[in-house]
Amino acid sequence: MEANREKYAADISSIKEAHERIKPYIHRTPVLTSESLNLISGRSLFFKCECFQKGGAFKFRGACNAVLSLDHEQAAKGVVTHSSGNHAAALALAAKLQGIPAYIVVPKGAPKCKVDNVIRYGGEVIWSESTMSSREEVASKVLQETGSVLIHPYNDGRIISGQGTISLELLEQIQEIDAIVVPISGGGLISGVALAAKAIKPSIRIIAAEPKGADDAAKSKIAGKIITVPVTNTIADGLRASLGDLTWPVVRDLVDDVITLEDCEIIEAMRMCYEILKVSVEPSGAIGLAAVLSNSFRNNPSWRDCKNIGIVLSGGNVDLGSLWDSFKSSK
């Protein structure tokens, strides 16, 4: 990488170290294929099923790496985070496996199935208002009271390194992959995936998939600086965060494109995952398939030579009631 480019929060060495650290605890998730979806898309698709990861999502990789990176004194005081979704459950589970406390600040209105996961894994739920300022304020108060260590959902080198282990596995499982499509929100997942994949295979393309109702990454790429969206509106509850100062440089430099999708496209891709691939995915997890099936991808000559495409199915934690309602409303 160019000499004037700042050092990123993670690199291939930290990602390989993370993989050695977390390997005894994580699932090496399978890669599924479907001839039907290959015919529909006109490509060979390889689905990295992080919906089968412990905790039901990729987030366990980063959370596990962060917890295992703590020294004994830090770990004894526990960990804290603020999250409405999969990171909350992942951190609670990682803490439980190490026998340390996990304080999880959860905003009101968070999906019930994800809050239930936090409780199931022994995390202590502390409620906040839905605003980011309230989440941060409550988390700060918990930090002061407990002396615990803050583990940010994505803007943390340990988290990015943990998520990057997906690329190590995927490119070992399917060596011919020439592009990887990854959901984008705060950028922890795609930063880790991009750093590892491009170190292993510099020619590989990394494509972000983002809801149109939360398109800060697409706007940021165009502007060349972080742009935040004041209000988000998407069924993909896991993709409503904004890029961080550690993830943005990687997204800026190593992500080749951002494809934005309407909610109806995400729901249709979700339906295909259930009906054709036979896997349970949440909206955020299905958006990669939606991107590959979109006209903006199909009609873009830049991607014509991408024949073997990895798609990260990032998670499978979905409220079934909301799922059926979304299917009915999309008809």
Side-chain angles (χ1 to χ4, degrees):
M1 294 175 186
E2 291 135 16
N4 64 350
R5 212 176 262 175
E6 73 264 52
K7 187 177 183 295
Y8 301 122
D11 57 25
I12 189 64
S13 297
S14 69
I15 293 166
K16 285 181 175 177
E17 287 166 12
H19 202 222
E20 287 304 309
R21 191 177 291 124
I22 69 178
K23 208 187 295 185
Y25 303 95
I26 62 168
H27 291 316
R28 180 183 170 94
T29 52
V31 174
L32 297 185
T33 60
S34 163
E35 285 302 320
S36 297
L37 291 175
N38 289 351
L39 283 170
I40 293 167
S41 66
R43 327 266 174 149
S44 293
L45 307 181
F46 300 91
F47 296 90
K48 181 64 169 163
C49 293
E50 286 298 294
C51 46
F52 297 152
Q53 188 54 260
K54 287 182 181 175
F58 75 94
K59 291 280 191 178
F60 183 67
R61 294 175 182 268
C64 194
N65 187 50
V67 167
L68 292 173
S69 298
L70 300 175
D71 64 34
H72 181 72
E73 192 177 327
Q74 290 173 317
K77 293 179 179 176
V79 289
V80 63
T81 197
H82 54 84
S83 169
S84 61
N86 291 325
H87 175 70
L91 189 64
L93 178 55
K96 181 182 180 182
L97 292 175
Q98 294 303 303
I100 65 173
Y103 307 100
I104 313 295
V105 177
V106 179
K108 292 173 183 172
K112 183 179 182 298
C113 67
K114 296 184 179 180
V115 179
D116 288 346
N117 281 346
V118 173
I119 296 167
R120 187 180 300 121
Y121 298 141
E124 183 178 330
V125 173
I126 301 143
W127 294 98
S128 75
E129 296 303 318
S130 59
T131 62
M132 184 58 73
S133 58
S134 173
R135 286 163 58 159
E136 290 174 345
E137 189 179 314
V138 174
S140 178
K141 189 180 173 192
V142 174
L143 278 174
Q144 290 171 0
E145 290 173 354
T146 63
S148 51
V149 179
L150 177 67
I151 308 292
H152 194 278
Y154 52 87
N155 206 43
D156 183 307
R158 299 163 297 185
I159 294 290
I160 294 169
S161 296
Q163 319 310 25
T165 61
I166 290 172
S167 285
L168 300 185
E169 291 179 7
L170 179 57
L171 292 176
E172 195 176 89
Q173 289 165 309
I174 312 292
Q175 294 173 8
E176 64 267 30
I177 282 176
D178 44 39
I180 306 177
V181 183
V182 189
I184 191 167
S185 181
L189 172 59
I190 201 166
S191 292
V193 166
L195 286 163
K198 295 220 172 190
I200 296 165
K201 192 173 185 177
S203 64
I204 203 164
R205 313 287 191 85
I206 304 295
I207 301 165
E210 183 174 51
K212 283 189 177 172
D215 62 347
D216 63 294
K219 286 184 165 71
S220 299
K221 285 285 279 185
I222 292 166
K225 62 180 181 180
I226 294 181
I227 301 290
T228 55
V229 178
V231 178
T232 59
N233 181 22
T234 176
I235 191 173
D237 62 272
L239 302 180
R240 294 173 183 160
S242 298
L243 295 167
D245 62 348
L246 298 183
T247 58
W248 162 242
V250 185
V251 172
R252 180 193 63 208
D253 298 344
L254 300 184
V255 173
D256 295 287
D257 197 8
V258 181
I259 296 173
T260 57
L261 290 309
E262 299 284 0
D263 274 9
C264 59
E265 295 175 285
I266 298 170
I267 292 166
E268 182 56 28
M270 210 164 127
R271 186 195 301 274
M272 287 182 172
C273 287
Y274 278 78
E275 293 182 351
I276 301 174
L277 204 57
K278 310 299 183 191
V279 294
S280 169
V281 295
E282 59 192 272
S284 308
I287 197 171
L289 176 59
V292 170
L293 298 178
S294 69
N295 287 332
S296 54
F297 180 80
R298 289 174 187 257
N299 299 334
N300 188 335
S302 301
W303 313 128
R304 201 163 286 148
D305 60 341
C306 294
K307 302 296 185 187
N308 299 300
I309 301 175
I311 296 175
V312 180
L313 298 181
S314 55
N317 295 315
V318 61
D319 279 320
L320 289 180
S322 303
L323 171 68
W324 306 140
D325 290 344
S326 69
F327 283 174
K328 283 186 284 188
S329 66
S330 69
K331 285 184 178 177

